[in-house]
Amino acid sequence: MALSDEPAAGDPKDEAEEEAPALGPALEAFGESAEVRALLGGLRDVLGERAEREAAQERFRVIMDKYQEQPHLLDPHLEWMMNLLLDIVQDKTVPTALVHLAFKFLYIITKVRGYKVFLRLFPHEVGNVEPVLDMFTHQNPKDHETWETRYMLLLWLSVTCLVPFDFARFDGNLLLQPECRRTPIMDRILSVAESYLVVSDKARDAAAVLVSKFITRPDVTQKKMAGFLDWSLCTLAGSSFHTIEGVIAMDGMLQALAQIFKHGKREDCLPYACTVLACLDSCRLSESNQTLLRKLGVKLVQRLGLTLLKPKVAAWRYQRGCRSLAANLQLRTEGQSEQKPQVETSDSEEDYDVPEGMESVIEQLLVGLKDKDTIVRWSAAKGIGRMAGRLPRELADDVVGSVLDCFSFQETDKAWHGGCLALAELGRRGLLLPSRLPEVVGVILKALTYDEKRGACSVGANVRDAACYVCWAFARAYEPQELKPFVTAISSALVIAAVFDRNINCRRAASGTFPHGIEILTTADYFAVGNISNCFLVISVFVAGFPEYTQPMIEHLVAMKVSHWDGVIRELSAKALHNLTPRAPEFCATHVLPRLLSMTQSSDLHSRHGAILACAEIILALHRLAEQQDRPLSDYLDEKTVQGVKQINQQLRDRQLYRGLGGKLMRIAVCVLIENLSLSRMPFKGDAVIGGWQWLIDDTLRNLRLMSHSSTQVKDMAVSALAALCREYYMEEPGKASPAVQEELVSQYLAELRSPDENTRCGFSLALGALPDFLLKGQLQQVLSGLISVTQISPMDVNFAESRRDGLKAIARVCQTVGVREDGSPDDTLCKENVPQVYRALLNCMNDYTTDSRGDIGAWVREAAMTSLMELTLLLARGCPALLEAPVCEQVMCCVAQQASEKIDRFRAHAGHVFLTLLHSDDPPVPHVPHRGELEQLFPRSDAASVNWNAPSQAFPRVTQLLGLPAYRYHVLLGLAVSVGGLTESTVRHSTHSLFEYMKGIQGDPQALASFGETLLQVFEDNLLNDRVSVSLLKMLDQMLANGCFEVFTTEDNHPFCVRLLALCKEETRKSRDVQKLRSGIAVFCGMVQFRGDVRKRVLLQLLLLLCHPFPVIRKTTASQVYEMVLTYGDVVDVDVLDEVMAVLSDTVWEAELPVVRGQRNHLCDLLGVPRPQLVSKVGPHLPLGLWVSRKNSRGAVGPRALRSLAVQAGVSPGSSGRAWPHPVSRAEGTLSVLHFPVSRVPRAVVDVPPSTME
């Protein structure tokens, strides 16, 4: 049987694919029959056109590929498809290209259905032998475009070789006519086969099939087998697997030999077996790095071994009897008993001697079990099974013992995997006798939990998967009474693997073959075990409900998973123990906890981490169980356990295990322990251990910078631990804290907020937010002031966006903790005195657009500000609506609406959620929401859950409707400007379309259009020289002008909107060196030409000034844009000079020197009727005394050499100006160099300025 015919268990590819895609709905029939018939019938028509030919071929391939999983559906249609294609092949009048095309289609069918099924459909009459053989004379083995033709011809020839006539008859009286030079048919076929066994394409595989059919014919065997084997062995011995040519030749020879010894008669092949085996040993294929060669070597070795052994079934094998489900049901119906297993103990029929070469064969197969590639191991395992079935019982038992040697912990995972495959084959074939089961089951149980860490990953998933396959094979191979002693151990191991294995394929492979299988599979089905968290936390609890599995599952978690190398598995294991503890509380308290406590002092980092987490979770679970049963926790925990838990922190600190690489994990684990012990109300109040816990939390928050790569998790754990610790151990009496503890804790944390380290600010901000209300009482105003100072931007901490974000989170949490009371004290609760202060801080953070190398880090701050505003507003609406002022509510809604119209999908979605939450809140409604009625119509409650604000196509059509509401127009337009002028294609497209749809709707309303224009100009004016907004706004203006959004204003000369817009654009682009901004400004200027009056002349002047910009790229861009502008707006240039203007714009090389360009520009001024710009000297304030030149750094463009050159140009010699040479002078803005010149020789910079009359 071919290797590809059976699935390989534990394929490494399965490890890389965590989730294999589920198959689609099964097909019922070949539904494209008519289309395929039309395609095949039209091949002659598409031959001439390459595009049509390739399209037909691709379509046929797509249709066939649909049936890769169900190829048997093609069987009823294979014959007519083949006939249509062979009619073309056998037609001698058709072009050669059409024949090749027909063979390509035949190959596609063969690839899907397999050549073995397809082979018998070829015409294989006597009259087909020579025509097929003659076709090879026209083939070029080196033509890589037509390999499908040669592949199919070889397959066709192989089936014609099965004609039941001696090939000598085809030659007629050839031997009686020596003058005839025609080669005999037998020699011709052998020559073709040999020539194609060494080619580099797939025809080599078909040639091996041809050899197996041809050489094994009785007439050919007598005459040609010896010669062919001699040639193949010589070729094999003379080839090297270190070269490409050698690999190709060896591949062909090995395939041919394996096929011959597979299909040939034993008596024909036996004389050559030892010779082939000796040659194969000399090739040393096991040392090759070519997987296919090693696999073929193993395949050939086992075929040689089967040839050496007599073909008989071992009488001693274990026979279970009838394994057919239908036959078993029939026997039960008829009242007959199933055949009992019989094990022959006599060896009377096994009196033959084992051939000498068998030892070498078995050894090579055992070596193949340890190969690095799965396909080699799988082939070796099948070989072991086949060989053992023909060996005497004692020798077969020795083979089993050798296979069991693979399960040594000195062996690699490859050996374990190969051993599992071999055991499965032996068991499946009845060659593993029940006497071996105790030893075999022991190693299989170890294989089910085999997992070894290698670098950053682990190995062993294929071993565990193969071990599951062994269990499946044993369940089918043995009678229930044989497996009864091992059922409990095997079923527990399989259940554990199905629930707790790290690999999804192993979990799926393990599910099903155990007691209570139906009940368990109802919950732990194929898809349910796909989610590892669901397995650990949900399915495990259900399975533990069966008493026989409870303790084994807990034991496995403690022994294997708590100390697992993967941190996620350790955390899930601890949580799973928490969930399983109620199923066996006494066992966990008396056996599991002491064992875990001893592991907390282990030298292994992973064991310590997992054990501490597990202790914390089990104690919390016992506490909750004791509360439910109204029992004290001491009923479960003895004094020794309590003392052991209490000493964990101090022991780790004494051993300095909080430092170094493992310190992060230890801090996380102990913080979880502190939180859970506090929640469990352990009797530690007033104990010194509380001080140690507090030290750990404070030290962790203070040193977060040392754990920057995972500081978020550490910070969150420390803050959670602090909150639980304070609530349980710092309350002296209900609602009151110890004054000394409160003062020390709050003052210390407030002082840390001023730390120069950002991570420290983050940690202590969240720590203040986590304090309970009794610790904040009397200190609220100080805490709020400290947190508000963290949220403010100063020159020294501009990039501390994360600390500002966490400060905002802490403010919201503090507000929720202390609550609200209108007439309360500002030191105790939210009231009318401090609410405006909090809102002011939150709203200020809505304008945080800080950017650095990480991007828009201010977005984190804005997101936290939106969340905090929502929580604070809902809190006030529920507790004291009178504190919510109308201007504040309006500002909150407008700022959120602005964020909902901006460009970043994630933050836009969050803003949309906040906006709709505030709008639709009913507990009670938020007061003073501007335009509430219109908003509820635009955003109905029924659509709130269905709208995906992440999708620009859904968000922008809704948010642009807010432009019609005056209160929201400014902020929404500000957000849209950033989106429309952004870079993301989908955001730009949908936001632009939505904006244009709105503009189209107000074209008939002059008042609405004027109001919109006024708001737009106000946005422009407020964000003048703010590149974040202004560049995007210029891009938006360009698109709006190009799409005629302001066409109404073009009917009036010097419309105020146009005049003001021109002034703002001039101010924005004046003295700018930002190429992107200048290009956007040029586009806007060109769009403004459509406005009439003096505005047009002033716009043209700006464009003509830009034609002489110092940057050549700007001059070129301006000329191109002006050219398009002249074509677009026909009334800008007089018809008389239009051609000349176009010629100057298109023919001038605008990247040339400025004097050349300036002349052409002035000519354009004359043609357009615009006054020429005037040349003036640009004299700096210090030029009468000297020239100041900035030197930004030591690598700046202006250095001493450049200054000397400038001095020489000015005619200044050393000493002529009172100072010898330029010298550096320190200034506040950097290092400057000063060069003094005589006043008469001051260099002048010549620049263009517009005429005074045009200003």
Side-chain angles (χ1 to χ4, degrees):
M1 182 179 293
L3 179 62
S4 59
D5 294 339
E6 295 185 28
D11 197 319
K13 294 180 180 177
D14 296 339
E15 293 189 37
E17 298 175 3
E18 280 296 315
E19 181 66 56
L23 295 179
L27 301 170
E28 297 181 357
F30 183 50
E32 292 84 358
S33 174
E35 184 179 358
V36 169
R37 192 181 293 271
L39 278 174
L40 300 182
L43 289 184
R44 289 178 171 86
D45 300 329
V46 302
L47 180 64
E49 293 291 336
R50 178 177 178 179
E52 294 181 7
R53 183 172 69 250
E54 292 180 352
Q57 186 176 345
E58 181 62 26
R59 177 57 187 160
F60 186 70
R61 182 181 291 109
V62 169
I63 293 173
M64 290 292 108
D65 286 347
K66 286 176 58 177
Y67 298 91
Q68 286 278 12
E69 300 294 335
Q70 298 172 275
H72 60 277
L73 296 177
L74 300 175
D75 290 352
H77 308 272
L78 291 178
E79 188 171 357
W80 64 259
M81 286 193 285
M82 172 171 278
N83 291 336
L84 286 175
L85 293 169
L86 288 182
D87 287 344
I88 297 174
V89 171
Q90 294 174 328
D91 187 353
K92 297 184 179 180
T93 63
V94 299
T96 305
L98 184 58
V99 174
H100 291 314
L101 183 61
F103 276 120
K104 287 181 184 292
F105 278 73
L106 278 172
Y107 171 73
I108 293 172
I109 302 173
T110 308
K111 182 188 69 172
V112 175
R113 190 60 188 101
Y115 78 87
K116 293 181 181 179
V117 175
F118 203 61
L119 207 58
R120 60 176 180 262
L121 298 177
F122 277 111
H124 48 273
E125 303 293 334
V126 175
N128 297 117
V129 177
E130 290 202 57
V132 174
L133 196 54
D134 290 339
M135 290 185 187
F136 281 99
T137 60
H138 307 293
Q139 301 301 316
N140 178 12
K142 296 183 179 180
D143 185 1
H144 301 297
E145 297 294 328
T146 60
W147 63 266
E148 295 95 341
T149 301
R150 301 189 294 278
Y151 176 80
M152 297 307 301
L153 282 175
L154 287 167
L155 290 179
W156 192 358
L157 184 59
S158 68
V159 74
T160 60
C161 287
L162 300 178
V163 294
F165 301 101
D166 195 320
F167 275 133
R169 297 188 180 183
F170 288 82
D171 299 326
N173 58 353
L174 181 63
L175 299 178
L176 302 177
Q177 300 175 0
E179 69 279 358
C180 181
R181 297 183 180 178
R182 189 161 64 90
T183 307
I185 291 291
M186 197 178 296
D187 292 342
R188 292 175 63 191
I189 295 176
L190 188 59
S191 175
V192 169
E194 290 178 349
S195 63
Y196 282 101
L197 278 176
V198 293
V199 297
S200 59
D201 52 39
K202 194 170 176 60
R204 182 174 67 250
D205 301 343
V209 176
L210 171 60
V211 167
S212 69
K213 305 291 186 185
F214 176 69
I215 294 293
T216 55
R217 285 175 54 94
D219 55 336
V220 179
T221 300
Q222 299 173 7
K223 301 177 182 179
K224 300 294 182 183
M225 175 176 275
F228 176 79
L229 290 179
D230 183 64
W231 172 79
S232 60
L233 292 179
C234 289
T235 304
L236 191 62
S239 302
S240 170
F241 51 71
H242 296 294
T243 63
I244 296 296
E245 295 79 7
V247 169
I248 293 171
M250 295 180 79
D251 178 85
M253 298 306 111
L254 291 172
Q255 284 197 64
L257 291 171
Q259 293 275 16
I260 289 173
F261 281 91
K262 177 179 180 180
H263 296 291
K265 294 180 180 180
R266 180 175 181 267
E267 56 269 21
D268 295 335
C269 298
L270 186 59
Y272 310 104
C274 292
T275 304
V276 175
L277 182 60
C279 180
L280 190 62
D281 289 341
S282 66
C283 290
R284 306 177 68 87
L285 291 178
S286 60
E287 300 176 4
S288 170
N289 60 358
Q290 298 292 327
T291 303
L292 191 56
L293 291 185
R294 299 198 307 276
K295 178 229 174 183
L296 289 173
V298 170
K299 191 177 183 69
L300 179 56
V301 163
Q302 62 178 283
R303 291 300 170 189
L304 292 171
L306 293 174
T307 302
L308 293 172
L309 292 173
K310 293 180 180 180
K312 59 183 296 184
V313 177
W316 54 266
R317 71 189 179 100
Y318 180 87
Q319 301 178 36
R320 180 174 180 177
C322 185
R323 302 190 191 186
S324 168
L325 179 60
N328 280 334
L329 292 175
Q330 183 177 1
L331 289 174
R332 298 292 175 87
T333 304
E334 296 174 359
Q336 301 177 17
S337 61
E338 187 180 346
Q339 181 182 354
K340 297 299 180 182
Q342 299 178 357
V343 179
E344 289 286 341
T345 58
S346 66
D347 209 7
S348 58
E349 298 181 3
E350 302 178 3
D351 54 354
Y352 63 89
D353 294 330
V354 176
E356 294 182 1
M358 287 307 302
E359 184 176 354
S360 174
V361 170
I362 297 296
E363 181 182 358
Q364 291 191 49
L365 291 177
L366 290 173
V367 171
L369 288 180
K370 304 176 184 180
D371 194 89
K372 64 181 180 180
D373 288 298
T374 300
I375 60 172
V376 182
R377 298 195 295 271
W378 181 247
S379 183
K382 289 193 296 182
I384 291 288
R386 289 168 179 152
M387 300 294 299
R390 297 189 182 184
L391 290 173
R393 179 174 179 176
E394 289 77 8
L395 293 180
D397 192 64
D398 290 342
V399 172
V400 174
S402 299
V403 171
L404 291 175
D405 290 340
C406 293
F407 297 95
S408 167
F409 282 99
Q410 282 75 34
E411 296 286 356
T412 65
D413 62 298
K414 310 296 188 300
W416 280 68
H417 181 244
C420 287
L421 295 178
L423 289 178
E425 280 295 311
L426 292 169
R428 194 169 61 87
R429 297 170 184 268
L431 304 173
L432 198 61
L433 297 180
S435 60
R436 278 283 190 179
L437 281 179
E439 187 177 1
V440 170
V441 169
V443 297
I444 293 304
L445 293 179
K446 294 178 182 178
L448 282 170
T449 58
Y450 185 91
D451 189 13
E452 286 191 1
K453 189 173 186 299
R454 296 279 177 84
C457 60
S458 71
V459 296
N462 57 342
V463 177
R464 302 193 299 274
D465 186 61
C468 295
Y469 171 52
V470 175
C471 295
W472 171 86
F474 284 5
R476 289 173 54 86
Y478 295 99
E479 284 292 328
Q481 59 266 26
E482 302 287 355
L483 288 177
K484 187 175 181 179
F486 316 105
V487 165
T488 301
I490 293 176
S491 60
S492 298
L494 285 173
V495 166
I496 288 169
V499 177
F500 294 137
D501 199 282
R502 183 173 177 267
N503 186 272
I504 180 175
N505 295 313
C506 296
R507 295 198 299 273
R508 287 173 172 169
S511 58
T513 315
F514 37 73
H516 306 293
I518 300 300
E519 296 92 331
I520 293 175
L521 280 179
T522 304
T523 300
D525 59 16
Y526 180 86
F527 297 102
V529 298
N531 187 314
I532 191 169
S533 296
N534 186 55
C535 288
F536 271 81
L537 306 181
V538 179
I539 297 177
S540 64
V541 179
F542 173 79
V543 176
F546 300 95
E548 58 265 48
Y549 297 134
T550 306
Q551 287 193 13
M553 292 173 68
I554 295 175
E555 286 283 359
H556 174 78
L557 288 173
V558 175
M560 302 294 296
K561 293 298 188 288
V562 163
S563 56
H564 197 272
W565 63 269
D566 189 347
V568 175
I569 298 297
R570 296 197 298 272
E571 293 173 5
L572 285 174
S573 301
K575 295 176 182 177
L577 285 171
H578 174 95
N579 294 342
L580 296 179
T581 297
R583 298 286 186 183
E586 297 293 343
F587 177 75
C588 290
T590 58
H591 293 82
V592 176
L593 267 180
R595 185 174 173 184
L596 290 173
L597 285 174
S598 65
M599 291 171 62
T600 60
Q601 304 304 315
S602 170
S603 59
D604 179 63
L605 171 63
H606 297 155
S607 297
R608 289 199 309 273
H609 177 250
I612 294 173
L613 291 176
C615 286
E617 295 293 344
I618 290 176
I619 291 174
L620 181 59
L622 290 173
H623 165 72
R624 290 174 176 172
L625 183 62
E627 278 191 336
Q628 293 174 4
Q629 299 174 349
D630 198 18
R631 299 169 58 185
L633 182 59
S634 57
D635 287 358
Y636 291 112
L637 301 181
D638 56 21
E639 184 61 26
K640 183 179 179 181
T641 302
V642 173
Q643 291 301 319
V645 171
K646 185 167 70 171
Q647 294 171 5
I648 289 177
N649 173 56
Q650 190 59 43
Q651 290 172 343
L652 294 176
R653 186 176 178 184
D654 292 343
R655 295 169 60 188
Q656 298 185 348
L657 293 177
Y658 290 132
R659 300 181 180 181
L661 296 177
K664 179 199 71 173
L665 290 178
M666 289 297 96
R667 290 173 184 270
I668 291 175
V670 176
C671 285
V672 173
L673 179 68
I674 293 170
E675 179 183 7
N676 287 7
L677 293 181
S678 300
L679 294 175
S680 302
R681 300 180 179 177
M682 297 293 285
F684 298 153
K685 194 167 185 178
D687 197 294
V689 70
I690 303 301
W693 290 355
Q694 185 66 58
W695 170 87
L696 174 65
I697 294 171
D698 294 346
D699 188 67
T700 299
L701 294 175
R702 193 174 292 112
N703 293 286
L704 287 173
R705 67 184 184 281
L706 303 178
M707 299 162 276
S708 56
H709 62 285
S710 57
S711 62
T712 301
Q713 183 185 11
V714 181
K715 176 177 60 182
D716 293 342
M717 294 299 179
V719 170
S720 298
L722 175 67
L725 176 68
C726 292
R727 281 194 297 269
E728 181 61 28
Y729 299 111
Y730 287 163
M731 185 188 297
E732 284 193 344
E733 55 185 64
K736 185 177 180 182
S738 168
V741 172
Q742 181 185 24
E743 180 63 30
E744 180 183 0
L745 197 64
V746 174
S747 60
Q748 176 189 350
Y749 285 10
L750 288 174
E752 295 290 351
L753 295 182
R754 297 187 291 272
S755 170
D757 178 65
E758 181 183 17
N759 289 306
T760 302
R761 293 191 187 186
C762 291
F764 285 99
S765 295
L766 292 177
L768 284 169
L771 295 179
D773 55 350
F774 59 85
L775 282 176
L776 293 171
K777 191 173 183 179
Q779 305 284 338
L780 178 60
Q781 194 59 41
Q782 296 182 46
V783 171
L784 286 178
S785 298
L787 292 174
I788 289 173
S789 67
V790 172
T791 66
Q792 296 171 347
I793 300 178
S794 65
M796 301 300 295
D797 54 16
V798 173
N799 293 333
F800 285 12
E802 293 180 65
S803 66
R804 296 196 291 273
R805 175 200 62 196
D806 290 345
L808 290 168
K809 292 179 180 179
I811 290 173
R813 190 168 179 181
V814 165
C815 292
Q816 291 180 322
T817 300
V818 300
V820 57
R821 194 167 69 244
E822 184 176 2
D823 56 350
S825 168
D827 286 329
D828 297 334
T829 184
L830 283 179
C831 59
K832 59 183 178 181
E833 295 184 22
N834 52 20
V835 165
Q837 176 189 11
V838 175
Y839 264 115
R840 191 160 47 249
L842 299 181
L843 290 171
N844 285 340
C845 289
M846 292 293 288
N847 296 317
D848 190 334
Y849 286 91
T850 308
T851 59
D852 66 2
S853 58
R854 296 170 290 179
D856 184 8
I857 58 175
W860 305 336
V861 183
R862 301 196 302 275
E863 181 184 29
M866 285 188 285
T867 304
S868 301
L869 284 170
M870 177 183 70
E871 294 173 352
L872 177 61
T873 303
L874 294 177
L875 175 67
L876 293 176
R878 288 192 297 266
C880 189
L883 295 180
L884 281 172
E885 300 178 356
V888 173
C889 285
E890 178 178 347
Q891 194 172 358
V892 169
M893 295 298 291
C894 290
C895 288
V896 175
Q898 176 183 334
Q899 298 302 314
S901 60
E902 290 205 353
K903 61 184 179 181
I904 304 178
D905 293 346
R906 172 188 157 191
F907 302 112
R908 183 176 63 246
H910 184 66
H913 166 71
V914 171
F915 189 85
L916 294 182
T917 301
L918 293 175
L919 175 62
H920 296 304
S921 174
D922 290 333
D923 189 26
V926 176
H928 311 303
V929 175
H931 307 287
R932 178 184 289 276
E934 294 90 334
L935 290 177
E936 290 178 345
Q937 292 180 359
L938 294 175
F939 305 99
R941 189 185 301 269
S942 58
D943 293 348
S946 61
V947 176
N948 180 13
W949 287 86
N950 268 308
S953 58
Q954 297 186 40
F956 285 110
R958 289 171 170 81
V959 79
T960 50
Q961 298 179 57
L962 295 178
L963 292 171
L965 305 178
Y968 298 98
R969 183 181 297 126
Y970 179 90
H971 290 84
V972 172
L973 193 55
L974 180 56
L976 279 175
V978 177
S979 298
V980 174
L983 298 176
T984 307
E985 188 271 336
S986 59
T987 302
V988 172
R989 183 175 71 254
H990 292 293
S991 60
T992 303
H993 176 73
S994 301
L995 177 61
F996 289 168
E997 287 297 315
Y998 172 77
M999 295 300 297
K1000 188 186 300 182
I1002 64 172
Q1003 289 299 309
D1005 188 349
Q1007 184 177 357
L1009 191 59
S1011 178
F1012 177 88
E1014 182 64 26
T1015 306
L1016 178 62
L1017 293 175
Q1018 188 62 47
V1019 170
F1020 199 169
E1021 184 175 348
D1022 292 345
N1023 293 277
L1024 206 60
L1025 303 180
N1026 177 6
D1027 289 352
R1028 182 189 68 83
V1029 177
S1030 61
V1031 175
S1032 299
L1033 184 59
L1034 287 172
K1035 293 180 180 179
M1036 184 181 76
L1037 284 169
D1038 171 36
Q1039 296 189 55
M1040 296 181 75
L1041 290 169
N1043 282 271
C1045 294
F1046 303 113
E1047 192 174 357
V1048 176
F1049 297 158
T1050 62
T1051 59
E1052 179 182 344
D1053 289 353
N1054 299 324
H1055 192 282
F1057 172 82
C1058 314
V1059 175
R1060 190 175 170 193
L1061 178 60
L1062 175 60
L1064 292 172
C1065 290
K1066 286 174 58 179
E1067 183 63 25
E1068 183 65 38
T1069 57
R1070 189 170 65 91
K1071 297 183 180 180
S1072 175
R1073 304 181 69 84
D1074 184 345
V1075 174
Q1076 185 182 7
K1077 179 188 291 187
L1078 290 170
R1079 283 178 163 173
S1080 301
I1082 291 167
V1084 174
F1085 285 135
C1086 289
M1088 292 179 65
V1089 170
Q1090 60 185 295
F1091 300 127
R1092 298 181 180 179
D1094 292 340
V1095 172
R1096 177 177 294 177
K1097 291 291 186 182
R1098 299 172 67 181
V1099 167
L1100 288 174
L1101 176 60
Q1102 292 300 318
L1103 291 170
L1104 292 170
L1105 284 171
L1106 289 168
L1107 283 175
C1108 284
H1109 194 275
F1111 295 171
V1113 65
I1114 297 301
R1115 300 200 293 270
K1116 183 178 179 181
T1117 301
T1118 305
S1120 176
Q1121 296 272 4
V1122 171
Y1123 187 92
E1124 295 177 6
M1125 175 199 73
V1126 172
L1127 290 177
T1128 304
Y1129 304 104
D1131 58 340
V1132 174
V1133 181
D1134 292 339
V1135 178
D1136 299 338
V1137 298
L1138 178 61
D1139 293 340
E1140 190 173 356
V1141 169
M1142 302 294 281
V1144 172
L1145 289 171
S1146 61
D1147 296 344
T1148 303
V1149 180
W1150 295 100
E1151 291 107 323
E1153 296 295 330
L1154 273 176
V1156 177
V1157 172
R1158 187 175 289 112
Q1160 296 296 327
R1161 190 276 313 272
N1162 290 339
H1163 183 47
L1164 282 176
C1165 291
D1166 299 337
L1167 293 174
L1168 295 174
V1170 176
R1172 296 183 178 183
Q1174 303 297 318
L1175 294 178
V1176 298
S1177 295
K1178 184 177 180 181
V1179 180
H1182 299 290
L1183 282 177
L1185 299 177
L1187 176 67
W1188 292 86
V1189 183
S1190 172
R1191 293 177 61 194
K1192 297 182 180 178
N1193 52 50
S1194 60
R1195 296 173 295 173
V1198 180
R1201 182 174 299 178
L1203 291 174
R1204 290 185 177 91
S1205 175
L1206 187 59
V1208 171
Q1209 294 177 18
V1212 180
S1213 58
S1216 62
S1217 60
R1219 296 192 182 178
W1221 284 108
H1223 63 280
V1225 179
S1226 296
R1227 297 292 283 253
E1229 62 271 14
T1231 303
L1232 302 177
S1233 289
V1234 62
L1235 180 65
H1236 288 272
F1237 298 100
V1239 176
S1240 60
R1241 294 184 177 180
V1242 174
R1244 297 180 179 274
V1246 180
V1247 296
D1248 285 325
V1249 298
S1252 59
T1253 56
M1254 299 298 297
E1255 282 294 88

